[in-house]
Amino acid sequence: MQLTRLLPFGFAITCASLAAPAPEPTALAVLPRIHSNEYINYTTLTGFFLQDDPATSTTGFDYAAVNFGLINRTYSTDSEVPADWTQWQKFDHYVWRLNRGSGRFVQYKVLYMGRHGEGYHNVAETYYGTPAWNCYWSLKDGNGTVSWADARITPNGVAQAVKAHDFWASHITSQKIPVPETYYTSPLTRCLQTANITFSGLDLPSRQPFIPTVKELFREGISGHTCDRRGTKTYIQDAFPAYKIEAGFSEDDLLWKPLQGEVPVDEDIRSKIGLDEVFDSDDSTYISITSHSGEIASLLRVLGHRNFSLSTGQAIPVLVKAETIESKPIVTASQAWTTISTCSTAPPLPTAT
Ligand SMILES: *[C@@H]1O[C@H](CO)[C@@H](O)[C@H](O)[C@H]1NC(C)=O
Ligand SMILES: *[C@@H]1O[C@H](CO)[C@@H](O)[C@H](O)[C@H]1NC(C)=O
Ligand SMILES: *[C@@H]1O[C@H](CO)[C@@H](O)[C@H](O)[C@H]1NC(C)=O
Ligand SMILES: *[C@@H]1O[C@H](CO)[C@@H](O)[C@H](O)[C@H]1NC(C)=O
Ligand SMILES: *[C@@H]1O[C@H](CO)[C@@H](O)[C@H](O)[C@H]1NC(C)=O
């Protein structure tokens, strides 16, 4: 697959926006397909999680306080299972039934998508203010005191990942929440770290160990900011030796370009390619994806889920229906890169008001 051809870019999404506004939903009618005459059509099934309900406010929402958002309800398959099963067990049975009767061309999966814990780039954007961050500081590797190129997570970010770990540990025991069967992570350090802390040391089935696959296409919207430039394959292998790196992953970051940014329509195209690769090759029902605010927003658009912006360390579950349909080849329309506007000198720090 020629990523360079599929990824023309045009517009900077800041990698670090603490609450990046979700870009306009884009035309999904132009997405490419894996097979020449097939297309995977994703839809989100609603009524299962608080997050899929447009009435749920995203402000201050905390997955960990509400059983990941799983709605307390009945399912049509409840009579088949013991009445004292937990909500998650009943949900799991319902999803199993969906897949059992779905036929060859339809599959249902539950995606657990988590945003990385707070990174040094997030702190720096707040410190300098978004305009100065975007036009000046984000283009540098750091400021002499702090480095934010391929940013690591801060102690606060570590605490957010520990909280996610504790959520899983307690809910595996008390709620019998289905654990991920497979794991994917963005190649950026803040996600590699977050996945490690979240899932290491959990009581996982021996057949489903935490061995995440590092996946290029689940990286953040590529903004030209140094925090969106990934490390080499060798660096990732050395720092996270237990991780699996997907086939075809290049040694160097071939996608990031200084002063250039990806437009949302192009990000959605590659998000769909990434999802298609997973849905095409992974038989798991429960899949964990550790990624970023902008990229998870893009995945949600491709999945037909409502906007749901995640603050650092937050996570969202989505029940996805994926239907493989026959369709005519579609010409991929992509947009040009745009250039990031820069400032020649450092803008003043924001004044306290
Ligand atoms: C989703 O975000 C877009 C862009 O910010 C906005 O126009 C749209 O109204 C949002 N939709 C919902 C349901 O909030
Ligand atoms: C995708 O699925 C949705 C929901 O079933 C349907 O409304 C839509 O028409 C489908 N899209 C295509 C291209 O078939
Ligand atoms: C469902 O009920 C449990 C136990 O009463 C509660 O802890 C949980 O928050 C409820 N979930 C939702 C989404 O309301
Ligand atoms: C560098 O940025 C951090 C915030 O990210 C700030 O605390 C620190 O004071 C800055 N260092 C310099 C030398 O300005
Ligand atoms: C998680 O991080 C620790 C400490 O950096 C490292 O020793 C361990 O190998 C990592 N786990 C995996 C699965 O890579």
Side-chain angles (χ1 to χ4, degrees), residues 120-128 133 137 142-148 349:
Y120 282 99
H121 63 307
N122 299 124
V123 175
E125 180 177 357
T126 302
Y127 177 75
Y128 288 111
W133 169 254
W137 292 103
N143 66 2
T145 329
V146 171
S147 166
W148 53 70
L349 283 177

Side-chain angles (χ1 to χ4, degrees), residues 11 13 48 67 107 119 143 150 223 299 308 331:
F11 165 74
I13 296 181
F48 295 90
N67 198 18
Q107 46 178 327
N143 66 2
D150 189 17
S223 67
L299 291 165
F308 200 97
V331 179

Side-chain angles (χ1 to χ4, degrees), residues 2-235:
Q2 292 290 320
L3 290 181
T4 44
R5 189 170 53 75
L6 291 167
L7 289 175
F9 295 62
F11 165 74
I13 296 181
T14 155
C15 52
S17 288
L18 288 169
E24 286 296 329
T26 49
L28 296 182
V30 292
L31 299 180
R33 279 104 11 82
I34 288 184
H35 307 297
S36 56
N37 63 341
E38 284 179 353
Y39 179 89
I40 304 181
N41 186 26
Y42 296 102
T43 45
T44 294
L45 301 194
T46 59
F48 295 90
F49 297 105
L50 293 172
Q51 294 93 325
D52 68 43
D53 180 352
T56 301
S57 168
T58 64
T59 309
F61 189 91
D62 181 12
Y63 74 99
V66 289
N67 198 18
F68 224 148
L70 185 69
I71 291 171
N72 293 321
R73 50 161 284 180
T74 59
Y75 310 107
S76 55
T77 53
D78 283 354
S79 63
E80 299 169 4
V81 301
D84 64 353
W85 271 21
T86 68
Q87 191 69 47
W88 274 109
Q89 287 174 300
K90 290 174 181 170
F91 171 79
D92 182 34
H93 178 75
Y94 177 77
V95 174
W96 179 80
R97 268 279 173 217
L98 285 179
N99 275 316
R100 200 149 175 263
S102 70
R104 283 179 58 207
F105 297 108
V106 176
Q107 46 178 327
Y108 298 87
K109 292 189 190 300
V110 178
L111 303 184
Y112 297 127
M113 297 191 280
R115 183 183 177 192
H116 60 80
E118 178 191 79
Y120 282 99
H121 63 307
N122 299 124
V123 175
E125 180 177 357
T126 302
Y127 177 75
Y128 288 111
T130 297
W133 169 254
N134 281 345
C135 82
Y136 189 83
W137 292 103
S138 65
L139 311 174
K140 304 190 171 305
D141 285 356
N143 66 2
T145 329
V146 171
S147 166
W148 53 70
D150 189 17
R152 301 177 62 79
I153 57 176
T154 66
N156 182 41
V158 171
Q160 290 167 334
V162 168
K163 172 181 155 170
H165 172 93
D166 293 348
F167 168 83
W168 280 103
S170 68
H171 286 65
I172 288 170
T173 307
S174 66
Q175 305 299 324
K176 308 277 193 287
I177 183 172
V179 294
E181 294 157 85
T182 40
Y183 300 81
Y184 297 89
T185 170
S186 153
L188 290 154
T189 295
R190 53 193 180 274
C191 289
L192 301 170
Q193 288 183 293
T194 299
N196 180 330
I197 297 165
T198 301
F199 296 109
S200 292
L202 290 176
D203 183 17
L204 299 173
S206 56
R207 287 192 6 242
Q208 297 158 15
F210 169 61
I211 301 178
T213 298
V214 177
K215 197 156 178 56
E216 183 90 273
L217 295 184
F218 290 157
R219 64 190 290 167
E220 180 58 306
I222 306 168
S223 67
H225 299 179
T226 62
C227 55
D228 288 334
R229 188 181 61 210
R230 71 161 168 84
T232 62
K233 182 178 177 180
T234 302
Y235 152 78

